[in-house]
Amino acid sequence: MKTTAHIICLFLVVLIFGCKKNSKEPNNGAIESNNGIVAPEGMVWVKTKTFTQGAKEGDKYAMPREKPVHSVTVDGFFIDATEITNKQFKAFVDATNYVTVAERPVNWEDMKKELPEGTPKPHDSILQPGSLIFNKNVNKVATMGDYSQWWTWKIGANWKHPGGPDSTIEGKDDFPVVHIAFEDAMAYCKWANRRLPTEAEWESAAQGTETDKIFTWGNDYEVLNQKANTWQGVFPVKNESKDGFPFIAPVKSYEPNSIGLYDMMGNVWELTSDLFNVNYYKQLDISKPIVNPKGAEIGFSPDNPYQQEHVIKGGSFLCHASYCASFRISAKMGTSFDSSSDHVGFRTVATPDILGK
């Protein structure tokens, strides 16, 4: 079902998330967790630990929704070493014949139920299956508040055709799968016997062996371009791509964090199971221990008040200091249940309970 997010995308008025090969390999089946359970192939064990969640001291890019910083304890779990790839998602689709949200017909009767009363129906030529893609031909922008200048609703864009109907993923097995809505990620998880990480789990994993760092490699902003696939140049009009990747990059193109996780910063945003609520941290009772939090009970985003959103983490290849600066562990944005674009993907987690151990 296509609802609020898609019609808003069609009119391009939503807030859109702007924003080297290494010899290290992740802890895989050859490494045992501290529970004595062998890690599933391609996954890494994240130890039980207490860490600081939210904006860190000295983080000049921190936003109000990332505050106040607070202490959180998260039990150990396994997490994918990389974002789910085209190859992995294709195996799921081949096995189940699953059709993603971006590939399904648009039903106006369903859509208008979650829109402001009186919203006019778009022309049928617009109400076609598709998704959002970044406009790579932006020469100038009038104002950074007008996101429609660099986002385009593309009919025929989906995980198999990330740039539109004339594009393909042929030869891109090891690229992160994109144009994935929350519903699609949940379907994959059910098939794979996995689940999406909570925001707290995602941050615990991103910290690696650390507990209070701004980035996955520490606190040094100056090495960003060597550590993560983000925008280099002037967003969104000049992309210098000094790292050789003007847009999305294959997984494992940058060195992993301290426990062997790749691309936790940049490349593509990653879905989590938490509802997005800009006031969630402010409503927490941080005077008491917070253990395995599952996020807000009710979502709230002033930019999309008509639909619940889920938290996405890590930023993407479009993140730049002048725009979203979401290449930080504490950074977060929201995405609607049925929204998809060419810079949102996911990775999964597994616990001993899920694995039946």
Side-chain angles (χ1 to χ4, degrees):
M1 178 181 71
K2 299 199 175 186
T3 52
T4 305
H6 279 77
I7 190 64
I8 294 177
C9 291
L10 293 175
F11 291 111
L12 297 174
V13 294
V14 295
L15 174 65
I16 305 300
F17 345 106
C19 185
K20 305 13 188 200
K21 294 289 183 180
N22 189 279
S23 60
K24 291 184 181 180
E25 289 298 325
N27 299 337
N28 51 31
I31 306 298
E32 291 190 355
S33 76
N34 60 0
N35 279 3
I37 303 170
V38 176
E41 183 179 358
M43 301 192 90
V44 172
W45 177 254
V46 183
K47 294 181 179 180
T48 299
K49 69 167 177 273
T50 300
F51 65 99
T52 51
Q53 184 176 28
K56 310 303 185 293
E57 183 177 354
D59 184 354
K60 63 181 180 180
Y61 298 114
M63 301 184 71
R65 59 175 172 255
E66 302 169 34
K67 301 175 182 180
V69 66
H70 50 281
S71 180
V72 168
T73 300
V74 172
D75 290 338
F77 59 95
F78 296 102
I79 189 168
D80 293 322
T82 71
E83 296 139 340
I84 297 299
T85 63
N86 287 324
K87 181 179 180 180
Q88 290 172 299
F89 198 78
K90 183 178 184 300
F92 156 62
V93 171
D94 288 347
T96 62
N97 296 315
Y98 181 80
V99 178
T100 62
V101 171
E103 298 172 275
R104 301 174 197 169
V106 180
N107 187 317
W108 171 247
E109 294 304 313
D110 288 336
M111 183 183 296
K112 69 180 183 181
K113 294 175 183 177
E114 298 187 28
L115 293 170
E117 187 175 353
T119 299
K121 178 184 177 182
H123 193 275
D124 288 342
S125 63
I126 298 176
L127 289 176
Q128 301 294 324
S131 188
L132 282 166
I133 65 171
F134 177 72
N135 179 3
K136 301 175 182 178
N137 300 311
V138 179
N139 296 316
K140 62 180 180 179
V141 295
T143 170
M144 291 300 288
D146 182 5
Y147 312 104
S148 67
Q149 295 171 103
W150 56 86
W151 283 104
T152 300
W153 174 259
K154 189 71 171 180
I155 294 172
N158 55 57
W159 76 274
K160 292 182 289 189
H161 306 286
D166 296 329
S167 64
T168 180
I169 58 171
E170 185 175 350
K172 297 182 177 181
D173 281 354
D174 57 348
F175 279 64
V177 66
V178 291
H179 294 296
I180 298 299
F182 183 83
E183 181 179 346
D184 305 325
M186 292 293 285
Y188 177 93
C189 286
K190 182 178 181 180
W191 171 77
N193 192 31
R194 301 287 186 264
R195 63 171 173 79
L196 290 176
T198 64
E199 181 180 15
E201 287 173 334
W202 192 97
E203 289 201 18
S204 178
Q207 286 285 345
T209 57
E210 302 294 339
T211 59
D212 63 352
K213 299 303 182 184
I214 297 174
F215 310 106
T216 56
W217 56 86
N219 293 329
D220 186 1
Y221 169 78
E222 297 304 319
V223 298
L224 172 66
N225 292 337
Q226 290 77 51
K227 299 290 187 178
N229 182 20
T230 59
W231 187 275
Q232 297 168 313
V234 181
F235 185 85
V237 297
K238 184 179 181 181
N239 190 356
E240 296 178 353
S241 60
K242 296 177 181 178
D243 57 7
F245 300 110
F247 302 106
I248 196 170
V251 298
K252 298 186 179 182
S253 292
Y254 295 79
E255 65 181 26
N257 74 351
S258 55
I259 59 172
L261 299 179
Y262 295 85
D263 299 315
M264 296 295 281
M265 300 284 96
N267 216 21
V268 299
W269 283 98
E270 299 181 11
L271 291 157
T272 74
S273 59
D274 287 23
L275 288 175
F276 179 69
N277 187 321
V278 296
N279 299 316
Y280 171 54
Y281 288 174
K282 297 178 180 66
Q283 296 168 349
L284 285 173
D285 182 356
I286 61 176
S287 67
K288 300 178 181 178
I290 302 173
V291 181
N292 296 324
K294 300 296 190 293
E297 293 184 4
I298 300 174
F300 172 68
S301 170
D303 298 306
N304 185 13
Y306 299 103
Q307 195 175 47
Q308 298 283 281
E309 295 182 334
H310 285 86
V311 173
I312 52 176
K313 300 286 289 183
S316 79
F317 59 85
L318 297 178
C319 282
H320 187 266
S322 67
Y323 179 46
C324 77
S326 291
F327 35 66
R328 300 167 294 106
I329 294 175
S330 64
K332 65 170 86 179
M333 286 192 180
T335 184
S336 298
F337 180 82
D338 53 1
S339 179
S340 63
S341 73
D342 62 357
H343 73 150
V344 174
F346 70 111
R347 73 179 74 209
T348 71
V349 303
T351 61
D353 287 343
I354 288 176
L355 298 173
K357 304 294 185 179

